[in-house]
Amino acid sequence: MKRPYRLTTAFIRGLRAPGCYGDGRGGSGLQIRVHRTAGGDVSKSWRQKLKIGGKATTVGLGSWPFVTLADARKLAATNRLKVLAGVDPRTEAAIPDQPVAVPFESRTSPSFDAAAQETLAMHREGWKEGSSTEARWRRSLAGLPFGRKLISEVESADVLAVIQPKWTRTPAAAKAQLDIIRAVFKWSIGAGHRDTDPIVRVQAALPRQNGRRKHHKAVPVAEAPAAMAALRTVARSRLLTRLALQFQVLTATRGGEVAAARWNEIDGDVWVVPPSRMKSKREHRVPLSAAALAVLDAAARETGERSGLIFPAPKGGELHHTARGRCLKDCGIAATSHGFARSTFRDWCAETGVAREVAEACLAHVVGGVEGAYFRSDLLERRRDVSEAWARYLA
């Protein structure tokens, strides 16, 4: 049985293996202990790990199912608050030499917006250079109705009022925003401004999302040459944008990698994408076919230089993903750039018998597990042949 992040009634009901199973982070030390009696029956009982008077202590909370999961959680939370107040939950007596925690409501804590800024600063160094992650986080955290409340006073109802209206209407966006808001609460707990994570209750109150996962719309393999021809010939769309899309499709790379591509990354017939721009955080060498090199020559003629960005936006800077989307629409291509460049390419690999490890290396997918630990080559020379064959098919 797969163990959930937090205990569930169904998981507890199916437990048979002896041992202790914790209620996850934020569970106040709550555990369910499973053991076999002398008669061979399975017994399940609640217990809580606490530190009372500086000593690690285990407190019994009763047997399951007489004490339900919800009741056990309430008891565990109550016991923890008592210990923080200097009271032994077993005897209700004062704990000798126990330092009493200052109640959170009397502490000086920042507003949610201020805590959000601290969270952004903490995560910024781990984001890829030139990525849109920070902008996406800022959009999710901007203008929240509880932004000016103290982080210690924001409750689950505040967050639920923001997330619930969009939970089923735009499930992916709602979940992403909820994860970002939760990151702020995690920072505040670590910084000592809160003791609990209200997102746990928010998630419990939200309905199940039944929507199917939406993948990037791709171009059918049989229609890929016609779509590529449209990128070459439809003149009503900006030439540099069309060239960027052609380059992305020919190299089977991500849009952000192409938008930030610079001339100093081109080494002969190889494009070296630095780790800071790769999803895998690893340098990726991309073999350039004759067609891809021709696209680079066309871009150089259009801009008049071979320095800085290869495919700059009209007013300078990196080409935005919305510009690529408009270009595809202008060219009559009903797909995303990611779907055309990567999904269509992967389908073509499967249909033409390209070895799996070569196809995955072309897409810069990281091989996991033991296989990945021993597989170190990027198969550059074998990928050259695949790139040329892909370019010939598109032509």
Side-chain angles (χ1 to χ4, degrees), residues 326-386:
R326 286 195 301 269
C327 179
L328 288 167
K329 186 176 181 180
D330 290 342
C331 294
I333 301 172
T336 65
S337 62
H338 190 96
F340 187 9
R342 295 173 67 78
S343 298
T344 303
F345 169 78
R346 190 63 182 86
D347 289 343
W348 172 83
C349 287
E351 292 183 9
T352 55
V354 175
R356 175 185 174 277
E357 66 272 14
V358 179
E360 293 298 291
C362 288
L363 295 170
H365 285 165
V366 176
V367 179
V370 176
E371 182 183 3
Y374 286 95
F375 194 81
R376 307 293 176 84
S377 173
D378 66 357
L379 305 175
L380 181 65
E381 295 306 317
R382 293 177 66 184
R383 288 192 288 124
R384 286 186 190 279
D385 296 336
V386 174

Side-chain angles (χ1 to χ4, degrees), residues 170-254:
T170 55
K175 185 178 185 304
Q177 185 178 27
L178 185 62
D179 289 341
I180 292 170
I181 292 174
R182 185 171 205 170
V184 179
F185 286 116
K186 286 183 176 180
W187 174 86
S188 68
I189 292 171
H193 300 304
R194 283 190 70 96
D195 188 39
T196 58
D197 180 2
I199 303 300
V200 174
R201 291 185 176 180
V202 174
Q203 291 174 326
L206 290 169
R208 183 175 180 179
Q209 292 179 335
N210 293 319
R212 294 180 62 186
R213 182 178 179 181
K214 294 183 179 180
H215 296 279
H216 292 278
K217 191 171 183 180
V219 175
V221 174
E223 300 174 15
M228 194 66 167
L231 287 177
R232 291 194 296 265
T233 58
V234 176
R236 66 173 173 269
S237 192
R238 180 171 173 262
L239 177 58
L240 265 182
T241 305
R242 289 190 285 117
L243 289 172
L245 284 167
Q246 292 175 50
F247 190 73
Q248 183 182 351
V249 173
L250 287 165
T251 55
T253 49
R254 298 178 176 87

